[in-house]
Amino acid sequence: MAATQTVQRMTSANVMVQPGALSRAARRALCFARRFKAAAAGLVFLISISLGAIFAPLLSPHHPTQPNIPERFKLPGGQYVLGTDDLGRDIATRILYGARNTLAAGVLSVALASLIGSVIGIAAAYRGGWLDNLLMRLMDVMLSFPAILLAILVVASLRPGMANLVIAIAFSLIPTFARLVRSVVLGLTHLEHVAASRALGAGDRHIIVRHIVPNTAPLILIQATAALAVAISTAAALNYLGLGVEPPQPDWGLMVAEGQKHVFSAAYIPLIPGVFITIAVLSVNFIGDAVRDYLDPVLKR
Amino acid sequence: MKYLLSRLLWLPVVMWAVATLTFVVLRLVPGNAADAIFNLNLPIEQIEQFKAQWDLDKPITQQYLAFMGDLLRGDFGVSMSSAVPINRLLYERIPPTVELAVAAMIIATLIGVSAGVISAVTRNRALDFVVRSSSLLGMSVPWFWTAIVLIIVFAVQLRWLPVGGRIAGGMDYERITNFMLIDTLITGNWAALQSHLRHLILPALAIGLTSAGFIARLTRGAMLEVMSKDYVRAARAKGLHERAVVFKHGFRNALLPILTFLGLQFGALLGGAVITEMVFSWPGLGRLLLDGILRRDYPVVQATVIVVAFIYVIVNLAVDLAYHLVDPRLRNT
């Protein structure tokens, strides 16, 4: 119940229009939240952790990277909610700051991949011919690699770092977006209203902007939420391998890697960041399922 | 038959494309691995000497042709950091990774497919709910973290299984194929076999559980779709036992999408193996790849990536061929 209320508040706060529209949007959000409780809970988690990450300096009195040796290995509970690590840094604080890296890497790479993938998909379907062939064969080759391996290859070539991590993950996600968009657009270009629009003298740009993009958007959204779960896991994995964020910067995957040597004495250090990765990915999966269930009937119609 | 032949003929083309893309990404991206070496603070003569030694002073097309020529002869070149022939490194590192991925695949398939079938049969009842939530959880847990949780529970707390490695230290066995399971079996070295299996369980579980989640979810969907078909209703109507309906009419027909998905999951499993190897100090391709990246040893990175992608391509081809064995409708095409 608390979850639904928060969602309602969040949604209405974002809309900021006339009272009628506001209550309609709120009612719709409430209805969505009632139908998809797990997704609503996931959304609440993601929104709160994002707000926590943005306002981390205000929320926490501790420094995310500065060692504080006298306070090392403090168990969760008490003064430090989630304990301190082997350098005496507050784990809760590092989780909040770390969310900036983990979640941002996921969101940015999906945004980049869906954009580039859509352009490739539209270009391939719309132009057809040799360009279609060339682009799609290229996508096939990219899909011949296990996705995470492709990301590792790109990061290896560009050298580790946060920006390169985003590029690498985006690169590995592009082919699925391109293929999806291409197949949808191919279906659309043969529809009557597009043909009618063309007969009325509409140019390519008009057709793409007015007919193609709005009709592919819901599918891209479904694909993007699914890809976000993958992107966050991949970001966490690459950071775990030390191919992303550089220490002492906090990141959830990196925190697991750094804490791993303490499995015998202080197992909470590697365990806690993993719990956050899992809940974040789970939340995205819940939302992805809900978005798909919600949009699917619309698409079928 | 014609289809199978065309698929087999297509294989070298796919492999060529995979190798080329790897080469291009590693060499043509600005600031790539080969360029990075020249940013080191070395005297000019030394850099020149280094360039000449690794043919990096030649035009890129010539480098590419040399690389392709070597690859055709099955030669992956020499490691830049250790001067060891990469083929020897691969001979040592491929078997452990394949072992791990296959063991994980078996675990993932057994758990995933049976959970998916159970979930579909008990649709919307408590058991279905349990399976669905745990498969979603399985899908969401990162491999490396599952690995650490398993280590903490089974190796550190319960002390049932070892923390890492491929076999107990000091234990020796005769190397023939370098697949430890096969070697210890044919030489009848039971102590080594047992030790190896004990080391294999946790890493295989860590990778397999994630995939089991995905497989269970897909199996449930495929089963539900088949079970709503008319021929299933007909089978029920003629009074067939529910078990026969589920397995003979339902599962056999759901097998096709499941098989395709298993092939695709193998790619994820290979990726999982690459990462999980780091947690368990498993001496496979993943460790080789990461060491190569950290040492800027791009011939090693190149070789490892190509080999892993080749394995994936071959597995998917095998799945495609298996398709034709399973589905009689496709057999004569």
Side-chain angles (χ1 to χ4, degrees):
Chain A
M1 204 48 222
T4 51
Q5 277 166 0
T6 319
V7 169
Q8 182 189 354
R9 219 177 299 135
M10 297 304 312
T11 321
S12 19
N14 285 340
V15 177
M16 295 276 200
V17 271
Q18 292 87 1
L22 186 120
S23 70
R24 207 183 320 134
R27 225 179 307 132
R28 206 185 271 173
L30 190 69
C31 180
F32 183 86
R34 274 216 187 107
R35 219 175 113 198
F36 305 105
K37 292 192 187 68
L43 203 59
V44 169
F45 171 80
L46 290 178
I47 290 171
S48 9
I49 197 81
S50 308
L51 289 177
I54 295 167
F55 297 111
L58 302 174
L59 289 169
S60 163
H62 304 288
H63 196 276
T65 55
Q66 209 126 59
N68 184 11
I69 302 300
E71 295 292 303
R72 60 207 292 244
F73 295 122
K74 288 278 186 296
L75 290 175
Q79 194 197 338
Y80 301 98
V81 189
L82 297 177
T84 61
D85 66 7
D86 51 350
L87 295 174
R89 299 172 297 193
D90 178 41
I91 292 179
T93 306
R94 285 176 64 75
I95 290 285
L96 286 182
Y97 282 90
R100 292 179 175 181
N101 289 323
T102 311
L103 299 179
V107 172
L108 289 176
S109 55
V110 169
L112 194 62
S114 54
L115 191 72
I116 299 175
S118 303
V119 171
I120 294 178
I122 291 177
Y126 210 79
R127 284 270 170 263
W130 65 268
L131 185 69
D132 182 22
N133 241 316
L134 180 79
L135 289 173
M136 285 306 117
R137 291 300 79 75
L138 182 63
M139 296 300 117
D140 286 347
V141 177
M142 287 167 74
L143 285 171
S144 306
F145 292 80
I148 199 157
L149 189 75
L150 203 55
I152 292 178
L153 174 68
V154 174
V155 113
S157 185
L158 295 173
R159 269 170 283 169
M162 177 69 178
N164 292 342
L165 184 78
V166 170
I167 296 173
I169 298 172
F171 189 74
S172 72
L173 295 173
I174 287 174
T176 38
F177 279 104
R179 275 191 161 186
L180 173 84
V181 171
R182 175 181 174 271
S183 67
V184 177
V185 173
L186 273 185
L188 283 173
T189 43
H190 297 299
L191 288 183
E192 277 166 9
H193 67 274
V194 178
S197 181
R198 191 181 304 262
L200 287 171
D204 284 353
R205 203 162 102 188
H206 176 87
I207 290 173
I208 289 175
V209 172
R210 277 304 178 79
H211 297 293
I212 308 270
V213 172
N215 282 303
T216 39
L219 274 167
I220 296 177
L221 188 66
I222 293 177
Q223 178 63 33
T225 33
L228 185 59
V230 178
I232 294 176
S233 312
T234 311
L238 295 185
N239 276 317
Y240 170 81
L241 294 178
L243 299 176
V245 176
E246 317 249 353
Q249 285 302 311
D251 168 89
W252 296 352
L254 191 60
M255 286 168 75
V256 175
E258 289 171 340
Q260 197 184 329
K261 52 182 178 289
H262 300 295
V263 285
F264 289 99
S265 49
Y268 66 93
I269 298 178
L271 283 179
I272 290 170
V275 172
F276 278 86
I277 302 171
T278 307
I279 298 178
V281 178
L282 196 60
S283 301
V284 176
N285 277 329
F286 281 148
I287 296 169
D289 281 2
V291 168
R292 201 192 50 214
D293 290 352
Y294 186 76
L295 290 180
D296 236 2
V298 180
L299 292 171
K300 273 176 196 150
R301 192 184 62 196
Chain B
M1 203 53 218
K2 206 171 142 196
Y3 173 78
L4 296 188
L5 212 64
S6 74
R7 276 302 309 245
L8 281 174
L9 288 175
W10 195 237
L11 184 67
V13 180
V14 175
M15 286 180 156
W16 163 77
V18 163
T20 304
L21 184 65
T22 311
F23 181 90
V24 168
V25 171
L26 280 176
R27 306 295 180 87
L28 290 189
V29 173
N32 61 55
D35 283 348
I37 297 157
F38 310 134
N39 294 334
L40 300 174
N41 281 324
L42 289 173
I44 303 285
E45 312 84 70
Q46 221 167 317
I47 290 181
E48 291 303 325
Q49 192 194 340
F50 186 86
K51 270 187 173 181
Q53 189 191 343
W54 296 100
D55 284 346
L56 293 172
D57 50 352
K58 304 229 170 72
I60 194 84
T61 44
Q62 207 177 328
Q63 288 184 44
Y64 174 71
L65 288 176
F67 157 73
M68 271 297 155
D70 286 348
L71 200 59
L72 273 177
R73 277 180 274 114
D75 180 4
F76 279 99
V78 177
S79 157
M80 268 183 170
S81 59
S82 63
V84 177
I86 294 175
N87 282 18
R88 203 162 85 215
L89 294 174
L90 291 176
Y91 166 75
E92 280 167 21
R93 301 304 190 97
I94 292 174
T97 297
V98 172
E99 257 168 21
L100 192 55
V102 170
M105 191 78 220
I106 293 171
I107 290 176
T109 309
L110 287 180
I111 298 179
V113 171
S114 43
V117 171
I118 290 171
S119 181
V121 172
T122 61
R123 185 182 186 180
N124 290 336
R125 279 186 278 167
L127 194 56
D128 178 30
F129 182 75
V130 172
V131 172
R132 276 161 66 193
S133 345
S134 29
S135 52
L136 250 178
L137 186 66
M139 283 163 61
S140 307
V141 184
W143 294 298
F144 59 91
W145 192 67
T146 317
I148 287 172
V149 172
L150 290 174
I151 288 181
I152 290 172
V153 175
F154 293 101
V156 177
Q157 298 295 333
L158 296 171
R159 290 166 192 274
W160 288 353
L161 294 162
V163 182
R166 196 171 164 218
I167 195 165
M171 193 165 280
D172 209 14
Y173 74 102
E174 200 182 333
R175 287 190 186 199
I176 302 165
T177 58
N178 213 13
F179 284 93
M180 222 176 244
L181 201 67
I182 298 173
D183 288 355
T184 50
L185 264 178
I186 48 182
T187 52
N189 190 344
W190 306 122
L193 176 66
Q194 198 201 0
S195 168
H196 175 54
L197 284 178
R198 280 166 51 84
H199 283 80
L200 186 60
I201 294 175
L202 289 187
L205 255 182
I207 311 165
L209 286 179
T210 306
S211 289
F214 284 97
I215 294 172
R217 210 172 137 97
L218 182 108
T219 304
R220 178 178 184 274
M223 276 299 281
L224 284 181
E225 176 152 4
V226 171
M227 294 302 277
S228 69
K229 289 269 163 67
D230 282 341
Y231 56 76
V232 170
R233 203 186 325 161
R236 279 203 180 110
K238 73 181 180 193
L240 214 57
H241 196 277
E242 185 61 21
R243 200 184 306 153
V245 174
V246 168
F247 287 100
K248 284 214 168 133
H249 294 261
F251 185 62
R252 277 185 67 167
N253 285 298
L255 210 56
L256 282 177
I258 296 174
L259 252 179
T260 317
F261 190 70
L262 289 181
L264 293 175
Q265 267 299 305
F266 195 78
L269 280 168
L270 274 174
V274 164
I275 287 155
T276 313
E277 281 174 10
M278 301 309 296
V279 190
F280 289 94
S281 355
W282 190 266
L285 289 170
R287 295 267 310 279
L288 188 65
L289 175 61
L290 205 73
D291 287 346
I293 293 173
L294 298 179
R295 289 186 189 140
R296 299 212 189 296
D297 192 343
Y298 78 85
V300 166
V301 174
Q302 182 173 280
T304 330
V305 170
I306 291 175
V307 165
V308 175
F310 277 5
I311 298 175
Y312 183 42
V313 168
I314 291 170
V315 166
N316 273 313
L317 178 70
V319 167
D320 225 36
L321 300 185
Y323 228 92
H324 284 253
L325 293 179
V326 173
D327 192 342
R329 282 168 304 184
L330 295 173
R331 220 171 275 162
N332 298 322
T333 52

